[in-house]
Amino acid sequence: MIKNSTSSAIAQAVNILHQGGLVAFPTETVYGLGADANNPLAISKIYAAKNRPANNPLIVHLGTLAEVGDWACDIPSNAWRLMQAFWPGPLTLLLKKQPNVAAALTAGLPTVALRMPAHPTALRLLQAFGRGIAAPSANKFTRISPTTAAAVAEELGDVVDFILEDQACEVGLESTILDVTQNALNIVRPGKITATAIAQCLQSDVLYNTSENIIAPGMHKLHYAPRTPTHLLAPTEIQQAALTHAANNQRVACITRTLSFTNKISQLDIFAMPLNPEAYARQLYQTLRTADNLNYHTLLIERPPQTEPWHAINDRLNKACAK
Ligand code: TXA
Ligand code: MG
């Protein structure tokens, strides 16, 4: 059931969470599929709803800084500085977990992922519930994350007890995940908060984790993926590729920032994307979802610039196109 996030809807959502049910809710990044992070049975429902392998840990969402100590221990001063600077907001921190944190949540890892989302509805829900909500993105395993309530319903349908609806997700891509448990600070998933922003805040180096070692299954290669065969092409290649498909009588969609045709070419549709990275990120998942639902033979995506503001976008595009 989709409900506008009024006070009474939030109270209803809190009740469902207390009863061990699943509530999807908007965050500033993407919609989350939430369950009481202290209830192992509720947590297991998240894995079942998503068809998510049990060895892929979840992020615990918090509504206040006072709760951080319930989940993490040996918290470095760096981490507190980052929470002060970036929370509420799209930054997830990997911290050493408290011994009593359920293994189901962390997939048996010694760390726990914590984040305080900035979306007002997410914060109201978290503060009304009063404790941690475990929430992955509200999509099926490997699929495109939802950025609207309708997309959540399309992904999860009846397996979610309640969907809180509110203004669309402003960031549009999942949070940056930063590992602060090691001496070297490592971004294990890029997002809106860049290495440069974190380095500036802490006055120390921050690395993007470029190793091929998959530290969690969620980092594996195929992810955020349309069902339609999808290819990432250089701006200089996409026009020719599109025309070749169209000439072969194959319906093709171009998701592009720069390509345009003065005359409409049958078989070929253009999805025009914004030139700036913030607007592009906000629109990306809904565009992929819409194009995927139109049953093209192929989706062609123009590779955006390779600069840092585009880093998270390139990460998701590479994974959407992974074989
Ligand atoms: O923006 C977001 O972070 C969204 C919204 C809903 O908050 N959530 C989200 O959750 O993207 P999910 O489950 O789709 O992605 C979380 C990623 C997964 O790849 C998981 O493997 C990783 O975080 N993760 C969680 N706990 C971890 C841990 N202790 N160590 C390493 N990776 C972890
Ligand atoms: Mg996800």
Side-chain angles (χ1 to χ4, degrees):
M1 183 199 327
I2 299 184
K3 274 243 174 131
N4 220 324
S5 37
T6 57
S7 302
S8 80
I10 288 189
Q12 228 176 319
V14 165
N15 268 336
I16 292 171
L17 290 171
H18 278 305
Q19 288 160 19
L22 298 181
V23 171
F25 60 98
T27 82
E28 75 280 22
T29 59
V30 299
Y31 271 73
L33 177 63
D36 181 354
N38 285 293
N39 179 342
L41 204 66
I43 293 168
S44 70
K45 289 185 192 165
I46 290 181
Y47 285 91
K50 281 180 64 90
N51 295 329
R52 178 168 170 128
N55 60 355
N56 191 348
L58 301 175
I59 297 173
V60 179
H61 296 66
L62 304 176
T64 62
L65 279 180
E67 294 162 75
V68 171
D70 298 342
W71 299 95
C73 56
D74 303 341
I75 301 166
S77 57
N78 268 351
W80 288 116
R81 293 236 288 283
L82 293 170
M83 292 178 222
Q84 294 291 349
F86 295 108
W87 282 8
L91 177 68
T92 297
L93 298 176
L94 298 184
L95 293 158
K96 188 170 164 198
K97 79 172 184 99
Q98 280 285 6
N100 58 340
V101 173
L105 202 59
T106 64
L109 293 172
T111 53
V112 64
L114 298 182
R115 138 164 157 83
M116 187 188 293
H119 195 295
T121 298
L123 273 181
R124 278 167 67 208
L125 177 69
L126 284 160
Q127 287 166 6
F129 186 55
R131 51 195 208 169
I133 299 179
S137 51
N139 53 280
K140 295 276 187 192
F141 183 59
T142 78
R143 287 272 300 146
I144 303 163
S145 302
T147 51
T148 63
V152 175
E154 183 184 314
E155 281 292 314
L156 299 174
D158 293 343
V159 299
V160 52
D161 298 304
F162 203 72
I163 304 174
L164 277 175
E165 177 165 39
D166 210 322
Q167 69 210 34
C169 308
E170 204 179 305
V171 176
L173 296 181
E174 300 81 354
S175 60
T176 304
I177 302 181
L178 180 73
D179 186 352
V180 287
T181 65
Q182 313 293 320
N183 281 335
L185 295 172
N186 237 313
I187 291 184
V188 299
R189 181 176 69 185
K192 179 182 170 165
I193 312 281
T194 59
T196 303
I198 295 167
Q200 252 166 23
C201 171
L202 298 178
Q203 297 297 314
S204 62
D205 289 339
V206 179
L207 305 171
Y208 286 104
N209 181 23
T210 50
S211 83
E212 288 295 300
N213 297 338
I214 293 168
I215 71 153
M219 309 298 167
H220 67 172
K221 274 191 165 168
L222 178 71
H223 211 141
Y224 319 108
R227 297 189 181 89
T228 315
T230 304
H231 305 281
L232 198 54
L233 296 172
T236 51
E237 298 168 332
I238 191 163
Q239 176 169 3
Q240 192 49 52
L243 291 173
T244 305
H245 279 283
N248 287 333
N249 220 19
Q250 293 171 343
R251 287 182 61 243
V252 57
C254 286
I255 297 173
T256 169
R257 295 170 64 241
T258 62
L259 188 65
S260 64
F261 293 95
T262 14
N263 297 317
K264 163 98 183 100
I265 295 168
S266 69
Q267 307 293 339
L268 195 166
D269 289 336
I270 298 280
F271 289 76
M273 294 298 286
L275 288 175
N276 88 55
E278 289 77 28
Y280 188 109
R282 195 176 303 133
Q283 207 170 302
L284 176 62
Y285 286 156
Q286 191 54 43
T287 303
L288 287 177
R289 183 172 290 279
T290 303
D292 199 23
N293 285 342
L294 289 170
N295 297 316
Y296 291 99
H297 181 271
T298 306
L299 308 183
L300 301 177
I301 305 177
E302 177 188 335
R303 195 187 293 284
Q306 298 300 298
T307 53
E308 198 191 34
W310 293 90
H311 202 75
I313 293 166
N314 280 302
D315 171 73
R316 305 310 191 275
L317 290 177
N318 285 328
K319 288 179 176 144
C321 299
K323 297 289 177 310

